[in-house]
Amino acid sequence: MTEQDFPPLAFSGCPLDRGEAIRRDEAAMSALLTQPASRRIVLRGGEPLMRADGRLVRYPLTDPEFAPEGDLVFLGFEDNCALFAGETSDASEPFEDVRFSDPRAAGMRLEAGESGIYAFARSLLLWRERRGFCSNCGGRLQAVDGGLRRDCPACSTFHFPRTDPVVIMLPVDGEHCLLGRQAAWPERMWSALAGFMEPGESIEEACAREVHEETGVCVDHARAEYVASQPWPFPSSIMIGLIVPAATRDVTIDPAELEAARWFSRADVRDMLAGIHPDADIPPKIAIARRLLEVWAAR
Ligand SMILES: [Zn+2]
């Protein structure tokens, strides 16, 4: 069994045609804002407005309900119709089976593809909110390319949305793998080790550095195996999932990062996946950490 046999990860699989060419055509972008077939999705405080059936709610642009504050951002095309996203401050309660959902819960409840659209919209809108002014000269920025770029008219600097890479990895040694737990996590919870990449390092080097910093374990990073990646819109990470052979086994944790690190057997991991382990749990299906464990346990 390989990662291809598993369902898509939450927040991935955005099915939209992102309309690369039309974004640069200002007249065409303006026209999309007046087309009756164009739709918008709604976020409030970063939470998506969704239906009980796992779909995002789509409004015609002229519909006054949950009107957007500020400009809409252009997400792309679905079935040749433009889809935008806007952040609303309308505090009214939605009707019937429609509601604003906690972002992580939405990742679990939204259909495949819909959660990818949401991740794109959430990261883009959060970036826009934090990037009102130029980090070079302090000038007010203007949205271009449907919101996928923000330009400074004063100093001509272009600003692009951030995507922050995070390595998340499962060091393995034969029939065992290394998991960590942080003090703030729920009791029994264990997960894959993870950390932000730093400038000037490869993915494999970041993997080796993080494992060693957090647990003292050395890995054979030249043999790190890429498993999967996942957009993680909190606010704008890309999780890069790896399985990596360990070169040493002794654990010395960094107490600033972890409360404990522990080698678990493949049988342990299968029990954790089944929810029947006597003293350990792993993250839910929304998390790529679980996918790494699923892939390794199935080997
Ligand atoms: Zn500037």
Side-chain angles (χ1 to χ4, degrees):
M1 205 168 189
T2 70
E3 54 279 13
Q4 280 85 30
D5 300 317
F6 292 97
L9 285 161
F11 302 122
S12 69
C14 175
L16 302 177
D17 164 2
R18 296 191 182 207
E20 168 77 13
I22 205 166
R23 282 179 188 278
R24 301 202 196 102
D25 183 338
E26 249 177 74
M29 287 300 298
S30 298
L32 290 178
L33 286 167
T34 59
Q35 277 188 7
S38 296
R39 293 288 182 273
R40 63 178 169 90
I41 61 169
V42 177
L43 280 72
R44 187 170 74 190
E47 297 185 340
L49 186 63
M50 61 176 288
R51 300 194 317 223
D53 66 0
R55 301 273 299 166
L56 297 162
V57 180
R58 289 157 170 79
Y59 288 104
L61 302 191
T62 49
D63 194 313
E65 202 165 329
F66 296 113
E69 191 140 295
D71 293 337
L72 294 166
V73 294
F74 175 59
L75 300 178
F77 293 100
E78 56 181 355
D79 303 327
N80 295 316
C81 298
L83 186 64
F84 293 84
E87 171 77 26
T88 189
S89 57
D90 182 341
S92 52
E93 277 301 307
F95 293 109
E96 293 168 4
D97 68 338
V98 165
R99 63 172 160 165
F100 287 97
S101 170
D102 167 80
R104 283 175 176 77
M108 288 189 267
R109 292 194 197 114
L110 284 167
E111 280 179 9
E114 292 286 280
S115 75
I117 294 173
Y118 168 52
F120 181 23
R122 178 179 155 86
S123 285
L124 196 54
L125 287 167
L126 286 173
W127 171 71
R128 180 185 71 176
E129 191 182 304
R130 287 168 312 174
R131 189 51 72 90
F133 296 91
C134 178
S135 53
N136 189 42
C137 77
R140 184 177 288 279
L141 298 180
Q142 290 176 352
V144 294
D145 290 2
L148 209 46
R149 200 178 90 194
R150 295 174 70 75
D151 290 359
C152 179
C155 75
S156 303
T157 302
F158 300 162
H159 297 267
F160 295 93
R162 293 181 64 123
T163 298
D164 302 321
V166 174
V167 283
I168 179 162
M169 52 267 155
L170 191 63
V172 296
D173 180 24
E175 283 300 298
H176 290 82
C177 71
L178 183 64
L179 298 178
R181 66 163 275 115
Q182 295 178 9
W185 290 354
E187 259 183 75
R188 295 171 52 97
M189 181 61 67
W190 294 81
S191 188
L193 306 172
F196 283 102
M197 290 186 62
E198 293 179 355
E201 62 185 357
S202 69
I203 290 171
E204 301 90 320
E205 287 161 357
C207 161
R209 176 183 54 74
E210 281 290 341
V211 173
H212 190 258
E213 281 175 4
E214 294 189 3
T215 68
V217 169
C218 296
V219 298
D220 183 358
H221 70 270
R223 289 168 59 216
E225 173 196 356
Y226 170 81
V227 175
S229 67
Q230 179 188 34
W232 190 249
F234 301 95
S236 55
S237 295
I238 176 78
M239 309 295 289
I240 303 165
L242 307 165
I243 293 176
V244 61
T248 64
R249 254 188 104 109
D250 289 346
V251 170
T252 310
I253 56 156
D254 172 1
E257 299 263 3
L258 293 180
E259 180 184 69
R262 172 173 155 192
W263 290 96
F264 287 90
S265 72
R266 207 183 303 258
D268 279 329
V269 170
R270 287 176 182 152
D271 284 352
M272 289 149 91
L273 286 164
I276 56 170
H277 194 279
D279 64 9
D281 293 322
I282 50 175
K285 283 190 189 304
I286 187 179
I288 191 173
R290 187 182 184 92
R291 175 59 46 85
L292 294 175
L293 288 162
E294 286 173 332
V295 168
W296 181 69
R299 289 182 175 168

